[in-house]
C-alpha cells in the first residue's frame, strides 16, 4: 500500500507560516505536521520521529520543509536536520526560509530568459537581505559577475565574503548605495538589475535607470508601492519599457509559486534530497516556460 505523503513543517517563528502550509497542501501533501518556534536543540527528537517510524523503502513519503522569516535560523535548523541522518535512515528536506530560495530562483530564471548569465554583469540592489543574498549567490553560481549593493559597504562586503565561501571563483563587487549616485554606480556596466529591497522602498530612480546603456533586464521584487525600480509595474512579466525588459513582483511571483510547489513534490521522489538554493534553482530550470 502506498504510504501517505507526510510533510513536517519546521518554522522558527511563533506561528508556522500559513503561506507555506497552503503551498504544501496544493503540492499534494496528504498530512502536514506543523511545528513553530523550533529551536536547533529540538530538531533531533522531531527528526527521529520522522526517521524511525517507516521502513527505509517508505521514507520517501516523509519529508521536511524548513521555513520561517529568519534565514539564519532556518540554515541552522537545516544543519541540525542533516546531522540526524545516517545510512539509509534519512528523509528529504527543503529549505525555503523567508521564501528566499524560491523567490531568488524565480528572479534569476527570469533574467536568464533574456541574458546569458555566464560572463554577464548583474547588479543586486539590497543584496544583503535574504532574497537579495540568494539571488547574488545564484547569479555568481551561474558565472555572472555580481555587484552586491547595500546602503552599507560593510554589509555588502560581508555578503560578498559569505558567497565567496559558497561559490568558488565567484566574481563579486560590493557597492555602497547610500546616495542616488551609489545606485548609478551599482548598475554601471550591468545587463541585469534585480532590486531586492524592503517593501515600499524605491532603490533605483527613472533617471538612474535611463542613464545605464548596458541594462537589458530589470527585475523588481517589491510588491508594495512605490516600486523598487521606478517605472516598473508590479504585474510586469517580460514587459518591454523604453527598450528594457521588465518584471515586477507579481510577474515573478507566479514562477516562484510554481517552483515552490515543484520543490515540495520533488521531496517525495527520494528520501535523500537536500534542496537548498542551487537545487531549488535547478528545479525551476526544469519547469516548462
Ligand atoms: P528585507 O529583508 O525586508 O530587505 C532587504 C534589504 O532592503 C535590506 O537588507 C536592506 O539592505 C534594504 N532596505 C531595508 N530598508 C530600506 C530602506 N528604508 N531604504 C533602502 N533600503 C532598505 O527583504 P527580503 O525579505 O530579502 O525581500 C526582498 C523583497 O522581495 C521584498 O520587497 C519582499 O517583499 C519581496 N518578496 C517578493 C516575493 C515574490 O514572490 N515576489 C517573495 C518574497 C519576498 P541594506 O541595509 O543593505 O541597504
Amino acid at each position: 500500500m502506498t504510504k501517505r505523503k507526510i510533510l513536517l513543517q519546521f518554522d522558527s517563528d511563533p506561528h508556522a507560516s500559513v503561506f507555506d502550509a497552503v503551498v504544501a497542501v496544493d503540492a499534494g501533501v496528504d498530512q502536514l505536521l506543523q511545528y513553530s518556534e523550533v529551536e536547533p536543540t529540538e530538531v533531533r527528537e522531531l527528526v527521529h520521529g520522522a526517521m524511525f517510524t517507516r521502513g527505509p523503502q517508505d521514507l520517501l513519503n516523509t519529508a521536511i520543509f524548513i521555513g520561517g522569516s529568519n534565514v539564519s535560523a532556518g540554515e541552522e535548523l537545516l544543519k541540525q536536520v542533516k546531522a540526524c541522518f545516517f545510512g539509509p535512515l534519512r528523509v528529504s528536506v527543503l529549505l525555503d526560509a523567508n521564501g528566499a530560495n524560491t523567490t531568488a530562483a524565480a528572479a534569476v530564471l527570469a533574467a536568464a530568459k533574456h541574458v546569458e548569465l555566464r560572463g554577464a554583469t548583474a547588479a543586486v540592489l539590497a543584496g544583503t537581505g535574504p532574497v537579495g543574498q540568494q539571488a547574488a549567490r545564484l547569479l555568481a553560481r551561474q558565472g555572472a559577475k555580481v555587484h552586491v549593493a547595500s546602503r552599507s559597504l560593510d554589509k555588502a562586503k560581508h555578503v560578498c565574503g559569505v558567497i565567496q565561501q559558497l561559490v568558488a571563483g565567484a566574481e563579486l563587487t560590493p557597492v555602497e548605495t547610500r546616495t542616488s549616485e551609489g545606485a548609478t554606480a551599482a548598475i554601471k556596466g550591468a545587463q541585469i538589475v534585480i532590486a531586492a529591497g524592503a517593501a515600499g522602498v524605491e532603490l533605483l530612480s527613472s533617471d538612474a535607470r535611463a542613464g545605464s546603456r548596458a541594462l537589458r533586464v530589470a527585475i523588481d521584487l517589491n510588491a508594495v508601492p512605490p516600486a523598487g525600480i521606478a517605472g516598473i509595474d508590479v504585474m510586469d512579466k517580460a514587459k518591454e519599457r523604453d527598450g528594457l525588459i521588465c518584471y515586477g513582483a507579481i510577474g515573478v511571483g507566479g514562477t516562484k509559486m510554481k517552483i515552490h510547489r515543484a520543490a515540495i513534490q520533488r521531496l517525495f521522489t527520494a528520501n535523500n534530497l537536500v534542496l537548498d538554493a542551487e537545487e531549488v534553482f535547478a528545479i525551476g530550470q526544469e519547469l516548462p516556460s
Side-chain angles (χ1 to χ4, degrees):
M1 194 182 80
T2 310
K3 297 281 186 190
R4 283 161 62 81
K5 294 188 182 81
I6 298 175
L7 186 69
L8 282 72
Q9 181 183 355
F10 291 176
D11 200 303
S12 54
D13 292 339
H15 296 288
S17 160
V18 173
F19 181 100
D20 292 336
V22 172
V23 178
V25 170
D26 285 351
V29 166
D30 296 312
Q31 182 78 51
L32 185 65
L33 306 177
Q34 296 183 286
Y35 301 90
S36 45
E37 289 187 320
V38 177
E39 294 288 340
T41 51
E42 297 165 340
V43 163
R44 194 175 143 97
E45 199 175 337
L46 294 169
V47 175
H48 280 179
M51 282 164 60
F52 294 133
T53 39
R54 291 171 155 182
Q57 72 285 358
D58 289 324
L59 283 178
L60 83 172
N61 290 308
T62 305
I64 297 171
F65 174 89
I66 299 174
S69 56
N70 184 330
V71 173
S72 304
E75 286 169 346
E76 183 56 30
L77 292 180
L78 176 63
K79 197 171 138 198
Q80 297 299 327
V81 166
K82 289 197 287 185
C84 296
F85 301 149
F86 55 89
L89 294 179
R90 56 188 66 238
V91 298
S92 290
V93 54
L94 164 63
L95 173 64
D96 195 27
N98 198 54
N101 281 341
T102 49
T103 306
V108 174
L109 281 166
K113 280 192 182 145
H114 309 282
V115 175
E116 166 66 44
L117 296 182
R118 185 154 302 281
T121 299
V124 182
L125 307 180
T128 56
V131 176
Q133 270 192 59
Q134 296 308 65
R137 167 177 165 181
L138 289 174
L139 286 161
R141 182 80 70 187
Q142 296 304 307
K145 302 178 186 74
V146 187
H147 299 172
V148 177
S150 164
R151 291 169 297 175
S152 150
L153 189 59
D154 283 348
K155 275 173 81 178
K157 281 182 180 167
H158 174 75
V159 168
C160 290
V162 170
I163 297 173
Q164 202 83 57
Q165 295 290 317
L166 295 167
V167 184
E171 290 190 61
L172 303 153
T173 307
V175 186
E176 186 187 286
T177 51
R178 197 173 290 283
T179 61
S180 57
E181 289 79 41
T184 303
I187 62 169
K188 191 166 182 219
Q191 293 85 50
I192 300 162
V193 59
I194 297 178
V201 176
E202 182 183 294
L203 298 177
L204 192 62
S205 68
S206 303
D207 285 351
R209 181 165 64 87
S212 166
R213 286 203 219 110
L215 265 190
R216 304 243 328 263
V217 191
I219 299 169
D220 183 15
L221 297 173
N222 158 36
V224 178
I229 300 177
I232 289 192
D233 187 272
V234 73
M235 302 301 290
D236 283 355
K237 189 171 182 182
K239 167 95 180 164
E240 198 175 322
R241 295 183 182 276
D242 312 322
L244 191 62
I245 297 161
C246 297
Y247 286 82
I250 296 179
V252 173
T255 307
K256 177 238 153 36
M257 296 305 297
K258 284 186 196 155
I259 296 172
H260 192 157
R261 280 194 293 271
I264 299 276
Q265 286 160 353
R266 183 63 56 86
L267 290 172
F268 297 100
T269 61
N271 74 324
N272 61 353
L273 305 176
V274 177
L275 307 182
D276 199 344
E278 285 77 10
E279 295 78 13
V280 166
F281 181 73
I283 289 169
Q285 284 179 306
E286 292 166 20
L287 290 176
S289 47

